[in-house]
């Protein structure tokens, strides 16, 4: 009998859903009712509420326990079948204003994966009473803040070193005006690189309004700022040794740096407007732009171009710390590219076989 | 390898720090090898390892005497600080010799625009003991409380 009730309710809902306009209104109505009902003591069944058309709809009750102490925090009831984890988090936030939705981590079992926001309650429900475990994910910051902090830092730090602040370098040595043009060029390219990153973060990238914990912000900033100080120290040092092959080495690597930067920029623009290029819904395909022809060979050309830029920068300045930075970035990016490549292979099986993840023919 | 229930990160950290201690400090700076601090940390490591590996062996044979378990989770209270002091004293003793010989150090200017000062590096390592040691020590004490006391309580209720 229980099952019959459920199927009746879902049939009625399906009928409603066929009319698109009324759907959102109905959902809002239901949500308002749910908020009201939650503030009323949750014990009493509110079946006689006027205006509720589907009094026979099965509602879920979600019991939220603390993941570490297993103690019950609260019960969220009157949750409809179509609600998502995000709705549950919103209600939880209403009851406990301290835990805003992005800070809440809900798991089905202790130690299991955190449930994503778009997952519906119905897909994880085994019965009409569900137990979820709550973990505090810590102070959250948005990804945009993280990127802005990570990229503004290197920009300013490199300039500090370039301007040869007295407390970093010996004043007598640094007052000699003989600086090799490579040093000026390196500063210009470095600043251009990070200004481009900042502008892309603000205007190009469609970063999903996700959040990450404060720890990630600190780790990312420490990595970028630390390495930038390290490489800026050596490049702007009074005892800097210019590249061994002289102007030829500098010119060739400068040109390749510019090519890779342009390539990276165009790929990022293409990735953020996926519906304009190519037949496939989510994967851009090469067009008239020669930089996009990298898509024939790799599935993540933005990482390819970025590694290319950094390798060019290393060769141009002939500085080992820059090489170490490039190596670490390459390792990190190859891990990301591999992950993305796997996702692409699963989604678009047809024409991906000849492509590699990041470096043509190798990786 | 999954044979022993130990965290890979913590164990590899310990292995790296011990290898560093032996190769990069004690072996490289010959003058330090006659110091008492070397004896201190070698004895501490030896005793700890004897107890630890007997613990693992007996656990795998499912025949763990309580004495070994007690020893593993109690002796560290003395042996761990002993080992750490031995290591720090050895590093401190090695410092003047490193400075004198310019051991493992590169200075500017050079073709690859890189410099490394082993003296400063050793000092940094010594300073890093300050945040890391309390964390590991209290982690072990927490483990001790969990394993020596809570399992007894559970046994009582069975």
């Amino acid at each position: 009998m229980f099952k019959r009730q459920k199927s009746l309710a879902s049939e009625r809902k399906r009928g409603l859903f066929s009319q698109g306009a009324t759907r959102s209104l109905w959902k809002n109505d239901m949500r308002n009712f749910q908020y009201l009902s939650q503030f009323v003591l949750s014990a009493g069944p509110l079946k006689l509420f006027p205006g509720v058309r589907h009094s026979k709809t099965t509602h879920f009750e979600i019991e939220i326990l603390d993941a570490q102490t297993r103690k019950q925090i609260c019960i969220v009831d009157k949750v409809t079948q179509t609600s998502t984890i995000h709705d549950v988090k919103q209600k939880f936030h209403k009851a406990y204003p301290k835990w805003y939705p992005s800070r809440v981590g809900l798991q089905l079992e202790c130690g299991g994966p955190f449930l994503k926001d778009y997952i519906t309650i119905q897909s994880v429900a085994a019965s009409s009473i569900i137990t979820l475990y709550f973990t505090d994910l810590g102070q959250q910051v948005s990804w945009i803040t993280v990127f802005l902090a990570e990229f503004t830092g290197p920009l300013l730090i490199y300039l500090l070193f370039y301007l040869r602040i007295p407390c970093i370098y010996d004043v007598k040595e640094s007052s000699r005006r003989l600086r090799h043009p490579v040093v000026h060029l390196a500063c210009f390219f470095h600043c251009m690189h990070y200004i481009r990153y900042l502008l892309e973060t603000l205007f190009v990238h469609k970063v999903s309004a996700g959040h990450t914990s404060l720890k990630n912000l600190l780790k990312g900033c420490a990595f970028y700022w630390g390495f930038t100080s390290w490489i800026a120290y050596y490049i702007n040092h009074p005892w800097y040794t210019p590249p061994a092959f002289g102007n030829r080495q500098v010119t060739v690597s400068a040109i390749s740096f510019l090519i890779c930067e342009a390539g990276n920029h165009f790929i990022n623009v293409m990735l953020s407007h996926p519906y304009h290029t190519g037949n496939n819904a989510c994967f851009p395909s090469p067009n008239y732009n020669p930089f996009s022809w990298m898509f024939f060979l790799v599935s993540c050309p933005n990482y390819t171009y970025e590694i290319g830029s950094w390798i060019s920068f290393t060769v141009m300045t002939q500085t080992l710390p820059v090489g170490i930075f490039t190596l670490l970035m390459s390792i990190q990016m190859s891990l990301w590219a591999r992950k993305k490549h796997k996702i692409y292979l699963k989604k678009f099986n047809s024409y991906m076989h000849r492509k590699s993840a990041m470096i043509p023919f190798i990786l | 390898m999954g044979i022993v229930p130990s965290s890979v990160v913590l164990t590899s950290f310990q292995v790296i720090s011990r290898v560093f201690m032996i190769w990069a400090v004690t072996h490289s700076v010959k003058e330090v090898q006659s110091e008492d601090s070397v004896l201190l940390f070698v004895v501490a490591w030896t005793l700890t390892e004897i107890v630890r590996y007997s613990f693992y062996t007996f656990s795998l044979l499912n025949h763990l005497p309580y004495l070994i378990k007690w020893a593993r989770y109690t002796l560290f209270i003395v042996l761990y600080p002993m080992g750490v002091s031995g290591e720090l004293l050895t590093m401190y003793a090695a410092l003047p010799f490193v400075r004198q010989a310019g051991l493992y150090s590169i200075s500017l200017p050079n073709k690859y625009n890189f410099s490394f000062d082993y003296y400063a590096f050793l000092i940094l390592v010594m300073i890093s003991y300050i945040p890391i040691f309390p964390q590991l020590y209290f982690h072990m004490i927490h483990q001790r409380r969990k394993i020596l006391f809570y399992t007894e309580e559970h046994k009582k209720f069975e």
Side-chain angles (χ1 to χ4, degrees):
Chain A
M1 193 185 131
F2 191 70
K3 281 200 186 130
R4 192 159 48 96
Q5 269 183 344
K6 257 174 113 170
S7 58
L8 270 176
S10 51
E11 270 175 28
R12 249 179 272 170
K13 274 202 199 143
R14 245 177 270 140
L16 255 187
F17 283 157
S18 58
Q19 316 153 27
T22 52
R23 186 172 105 187
S24 51
L25 283 173
W26 180 81
K27 256 190 162 173
N28 273 331
D29 279 347
M30 282 310 295
R31 254 194 221 142
N32 287 335
F33 281 142
Q34 284 162 11
Y35 288 156
L36 257 174
S37 67
Q38 194 194 339
F39 279 121
V40 176
L41 288 172
S42 54
L46 296 166
K47 290 191 189 126
L48 301 172
F49 221 99
V52 176
R53 287 187 247 173
H54 307 280
S55 51
K56 289 200 179 153
T57 312
T58 319
H59 289 287
F60 291 109
E61 260 186 30
I62 303 185
E63 196 190 7
I64 299 192
L65 309 178
D66 185 281
Q68 270 154 357
T69 60
R70 305 285 206 286
K71 274 201 299 213
Q72 192 191 79
I73 302 179
C74 81
I75 297 184
V76 179
D77 68 339
K78 293 286 180 284
V79 178
T80 62
Q81 285 174 334
T82 53
S83 317
T84 60
I85 297 279
H86 187 67
D87 298 329
V88 176
K89 285 186 184 176
Q90 298 268 22
K91 291 191 194 181
F92 190 59
H93 176 49
K94 288 257 174 200
Y96 292 89
K98 188 168 154 211
W99 307 120
Y100 47 89
S102 57
R103 192 167 171 164
V104 171
L106 292 173
Q107 308 155 299
L108 262 182
E109 330 115 2
C110 275
F114 288 114
L115 300 169
K116 303 252 189 236
D117 277 353
Y118 52 78
I119 296 183
T120 59
I121 301 293
Q122 197 166 18
S123 57
V124 298
S127 66
S128 68
I129 300 184
I130 309 151
T131 311
L132 292 177
Y133 292 94
F134 159 81
T135 317
D136 175 23
L137 294 175
Q139 181 79 19
Q140 299 281 306
V141 291
S142 76
W143 272 112
I144 298 186
T145 317
V146 173
F147 285 142
L148 289 179
E150 277 181 4
F151 299 144
T152 321
L155 193 61
L156 300 173
I157 290 176
Y158 196 99
L159 285 173
L160 276 181
F161 280 86
Y162 178 70
L163 298 171
R164 295 236 177 119
I165 309 278
C167 54
I168 306 177
Y169 300 115
D170 181 32
V171 183
K172 207 161 41 121
E173 291 281 338
S174 52
S175 59
R176 293 185 303 146
R177 294 260 162 228
L178 305 157
R179 266 207 259 187
H180 198 269
V182 162
V183 177
H184 303 299
L185 198 61
C187 176
F188 176 66
F189 279 165
H190 192 265
C191 295
M192 203 183 77
H193 179 78
Y194 280 107
I195 291 176
R196 183 181 66 86
Y197 266 8
L198 284 169
L199 291 175
E200 276 180 6
T201 309
L202 290 172
F203 300 117
V204 171
H205 286 297
K206 292 215 184 77
V207 184
S208 52
H211 294 80
T212 185
S213 67
L214 193 63
K215 237 196 312 178
N216 279 340
L217 169 68
L218 294 175
K219 272 200 293 193
C221 282
F223 176 75
Y224 275 100
W225 296 14
F227 263 101
T228 307
S229 343
W230 200 35
I231 70 181
Y233 176 75
Y234 288 112
I235 299 180
N236 296 303
H237 203 278
W239 289 339
Y240 170 73
T241 314
F245 293 102
N247 279 330
R248 217 180 327 155
Q249 183 176 349
V250 173
T251 333
V252 169
S253 48
I255 293 177
S256 72
F257 181 84
L258 288 171
I259 293 177
C260 291
E261 288 283 299
N264 198 349
H265 174 68
F266 285 123
I267 302 290
N268 283 331
V269 168
M270 275 178 74
L271 282 174
S272 63
H273 301 291
Y275 299 102
H276 298 168
T277 58
N279 309 321
N280 237 315
C282 292
F283 190 77
S285 74
N287 54 18
Y288 57 89
N289 192 342
F291 291 110
S292 65
W293 296 344
M294 195 61 99
F295 270 115
F296 281 127
L297 294 171
V298 285
S299 55
C300 303
N302 49 336
Y303 295 139
T304 317
Y305 281 124
E306 183 158 350
I307 293 182
S309 316
W310 281 112
I311 293 179
S312 320
F313 194 75
T314 313
V315 170
M316 187 173 86
T317 55
Q318 200 171 302
T319 308
L320 187 60
V322 184
I324 297 177
F325 178 62
T326 310
L327 184 69
L328 289 175
M329 291 279 277
S330 315
I331 294 175
Q332 173 69 282
M333 282 195 269
S334 66
L335 291 172
W336 291 337
R338 265 225 179 109
K339 245 196 283 182
K340 259 204 192 151
H341 189 60
K342 255 193 221 155
I343 297 177
Y344 283 152
L345 275 177
K346 249 194 271 181
K347 257 199 202 169
F348 314 108
N349 214 355
S350 48
Y351 65 101
M352 290 289 291
H353 301 294
R354 49 199 166 86
K355 287 199 211 197
S356 46
M358 191 173 66
I359 304 179
F361 310 121
I362 303 178
L363 198 59
Chain B
M1 290 265 299
I3 303 182
V4 152
S6 240
S7 146
V8 178
V9 173
L10 273 180
T11 316
S12 54
F13 186 73
Q14 192 191 43
V15 168
I16 289 175
S17 88
R18 290 205 180 161
V19 168
F20 172 77
M21 207 49 227
I22 297 288
W23 279 98
V25 179
T26 319
H27 177 77
S28 310
V29 186
K30 299 250 178 337
E31 297 88 339
V32 138
Q33 286 164 10
S34 51
E35 293 272 337
D36 295 333
S37 50
V38 176
L39 180 69
L40 200 60
F41 73 77
V42 169
V43 165
W45 289 357
T46 316
L47 289 176
T48 314
E49 293 303 301
I50 292 177
V51 173
R52 202 174 81 170
Y53 281 104
S54 349
F55 174 81
Y56 288 151
T57 316
F58 282 117
S59 302
L60 286 172
L61 295 172
N62 279 328
H63 198 75
L64 182 68
Y66 185 70
L67 180 66
I68 302 280
K69 187 155 87 169
W70 179 89
R72 191 205 170 181
Y73 285 103
T74 311
L75 289 181
F76 78 90
I77 298 181
V78 172
L79 291 177
Y80 196 25
M82 204 166 104
V84 165
S85 358
E87 292 170 25
L88 286 174
L89 284 170
T90 314
M91 281 197 258
Y92 186 71
L95 283 177
F97 300 107
V98 167
R99 179 52 112 209
Q100 215 174 34
L103 190 65
Y104 300 147
S105 302
I106 312 174
S107 67
L108 287 177
N110 60 62
K111 199 163 80 160
Y112 294 111
N113 291 308
F114 180 65
S115 75
F116 182 69
D117 189 8
Y118 193 47
Y119 186 84
F121 181 71
L122 277 179
I123 294 185
L124 266 175
V125 171
M126 285 170 68
I127 294 178
S128 75
Y129 270 78
I130 298 179
I132 296 182
F133 170 67
Q135 278 187 28
L136 291 177
Y137 196 60
F138 288 121
H139 171 73
M140 286 298 287
I141 291 196
H142 187 69
Q143 292 284 85
R144 174 171 198 255
R145 209 168 291 150
K146 205 169 64 165
I147 296 195
L148 286 187
F149 296 132
Y150 286 167
T151 41
E152 280 188 22
E153 280 177 15
H154 286 169
K155 274 197 194 139
K156 274 189 211 155
F157 287 129
E158 271 170 25

